[in-house]
Amino acid sequence: MTIIAGIDEAGYGPVLGPLVISVVAFDVPDDKANCSLWDLLKDAISDGLHGRKQRLAVCDSKKLYSTRNGIKPLEDAVLSFLGLKGVKIASFYHLLNSLACFDREVIDGYPWYTQKDYALPFATSEAVFVNYIDLLQHSLGKHGIRFSHAASCVVAVREFNEQVRSCGNKSTVLFNNSIKHVAKLLKESNGNVELLIDKQGGRNTYSHLLQKYFPGKEIKILVESSEVSSYVISGKKRSIKISFAEKGETVSLAAALASIFSKYIRELFMVLENQYWLQLLPGLKPTAGYYTDAQRYLSQIAPMRQEKGICDDILIRIK
């Protein structure tokens, strides 16, 4: 079997809220490793919301999530795929635990997160994603494919700021946290790996960064360009092909699904942050945390922030 995996993030650009990086992986028969998973699983999965009929939409999370659509298309995908692994998510904290991104000490450092667990699903219903699970099981089984791995890394604001101060820029923070997923994926799986990661911070060369995390391994550069940079890391028993692609979530179903996991988790965190301030300031318009609207939001909550003694370092990113 070949492990087809994808890594993508949500929240790289905002001023408020966490950065979330997720990885998902499929075990695919070797003779189908070069096939598009969208093509193989077309009976159950659509590459968009339009014309999908009863199929599950899996594509770039920015195409799924909007003011009109809300969080439901993201939630349908995340809970359906976790359901394939026999995981029935009951709450926000349960979701974080299931994806190995729950750290009580970190959560408790934020008044809007600590002891603020809430029930899931948030916007969909169990009946909906149970139907999707049945479709996915049939389609995956027909091709001998297995959804094998899902994990997320949440870098909350204070932790993000600490890491930026330590390494100097946020693109390195993104790379460092992404590569941790690779190490865990390799530890928990067998077979050769083909991994696609969305390009990070406009960088085109990654060999020196990969060498740092894979000391002593031979790293072969396949291509380095503005569209894609690909490498093969050879080991005694297997190889890893890692590609960093521009708009990777449009060319890899695994990367698209990783973007959905990341966006869903980030939005659930933002629900808590907005609820916290709305309870203190009824009528406050929620924010997604991006620069322009974040300035409006910060201005409106400023007097209450001072009253509550909320320091900048847990609320506002330095980059």
Side-chain angles (χ1 to χ4, degrees), residues 195-196 199 204 206-207 210 219-225 227-233 240-245:
L195 170 66
L196 189 140
K199 275 218 168 184
N204 292 330
Y206 298 84
S207 56
L210 291 170
I219 298 177
K220 180 181 179 181
I221 301 172
L222 300 180
V223 61
E224 290 182 330
S225 71
E227 290 79 29
V228 63
S229 300
S230 296
Y231 309 85
V232 172
I233 304 171
I240 313 161
K241 180 182 178 183
I242 300 181
S243 297
F244 298 85

Side-chain angles (χ1 to χ4, degrees), residues 5 37 41 49 57 66 77 88 98 108 115 120 133 145 163 178 205 209 213 227 247 283 298 315:
L37 288 180
L41 304 176
L49 287 169
S66 66
K88 183 178 178 180
S98 299
D108 286 346
Q115 299 181 18
L120 294 178
I133 291 169
I145 300 170
Q163 291 180 35
S178 297
T205 58
L209 294 172
Y213 282 91
E227 290 79 29
K247 297 182 179 179
L298 289 169
L315 180 64

Side-chain angles (χ1 to χ4, degrees), residues 16 35 60 100 243 295 308:
L16 307 175
C35 299
D60 180 4
S243 297
Q295 303 314 306
K308 291 291 183 180

Side-chain angles (χ1 to χ4, degrees), residues 30-94:
D30 292 335
D31 62 338
K32 297 178 179 179
N34 293 323
C35 299
S36 163
L37 288 180
W38 273 300
D39 289 342
L40 292 175
L41 304 176
K42 62 184 178 182
D43 293 342
I45 293 176
S46 167
D47 62 359
L49 287 169
H50 300 295
R52 64 188 175 114
K53 298 181 180 179
Q54 302 301 313
R55 297 177 297 164
L56 180 65
V58 177
C59 60
D60 180 4
S61 61
K62 292 186 286 293
K63 295 180 179 179
L64 291 185
Y65 180 79
S66 66
T67 303
R68 177 182 176 184
N69 297 327
I71 205 171
K72 185 180 183 301
L74 305 174
E75 188 167 68
D76 285 341
V78 170
L79 298 188
S80 296
F81 274 94
L82 289 178
L84 283 174
K85 295 174 66 65
V87 179
K88 183 178 178 180
I89 299 299
S91 74
F92 176 57
Y93 281 11
H94 183 202

Side-chain angles (χ1 to χ4, degrees), residues 133-300:
I133 291 169
D134 288 342
L135 275 174
L136 289 168
Q137 286 176 330
H138 180 265
S139 190
L140 289 162
K142 185 166 66 173
H143 296 287
I145 300 170
R146 185 172 71 94
F147 179 63
S148 57
H149 185 82
S152 298
C153 169
V154 176
V155 187
V157 172
R158 176 163 48 203
E159 290 67 37
F160 180 90
N161 289 341
E162 289 173 351
Q163 291 180 35
V164 169
R165 292 187 190 104
S166 175
C167 66
N169 61 76
K170 68 178 184 178
S171 64
T172 303
V173 171
L174 178 57
F175 180 87
N176 290 345
N177 284 283
S178 297
I179 211 71
K180 289 176 184 176
H181 276 316
V182 179
K184 186 173 182 181
L185 176 64
L186 294 175
K187 184 178 180 181
E188 297 183 4
S189 58
N190 297 307
N192 292 330
V193 177
E194 294 193 9
L195 170 66
L196 189 140
I197 306 176
D198 198 39
K199 275 218 168 184
Q200 303 180 340
R203 181 184 286 118
N204 292 330
T205 58
Y206 298 84
S207 56
H208 62 295
L209 294 172
L210 291 170
Q211 196 71 71
K212 175 183 174 182
Y213 282 91
F214 297 96
K217 299 287 187 182
E218 178 188 352
I219 298 177
K220 180 181 179 181
I221 301 172
L222 300 180
V223 61
E224 290 182 330
S225 71
S226 57
E227 290 79 29
V228 63
S229 300
S230 296
Y231 309 85
V232 172
I233 304 171
S234 301
K236 292 181 179 180
K237 296 183 178 180
R238 58 177 172 169
S239 66
I240 313 161
K241 180 182 178 183
I242 300 181
S243 297
F244 298 85
E246 185 73 23
K247 297 182 179 179
E249 66 278 359
T250 66
V251 297
S252 163
L253 184 147
L257 185 57
S259 82
I260 290 171
F261 270 77
S262 295
K263 181 65 173 175
Y264 178 58
I265 293 167
R266 176 176 157 81
E267 289 305 314
L268 293 180
F269 271 100
M270 292 307 296
V271 165
L272 289 179
E273 189 160 346
N274 279 306
Q275 284 180 349
Y276 175 85
W277 293 107
L278 184 60
Q279 288 171 357
L280 297 172
L281 298 166
L284 177 69
K285 181 184 176 183
T287 186
Y290 289 85
Y291 183 82
T292 300
D293 192 57
Q295 303 314 306
R296 181 271 307 173
Y297 196 79
L298 289 169
S299 176
Q300 291 176 344

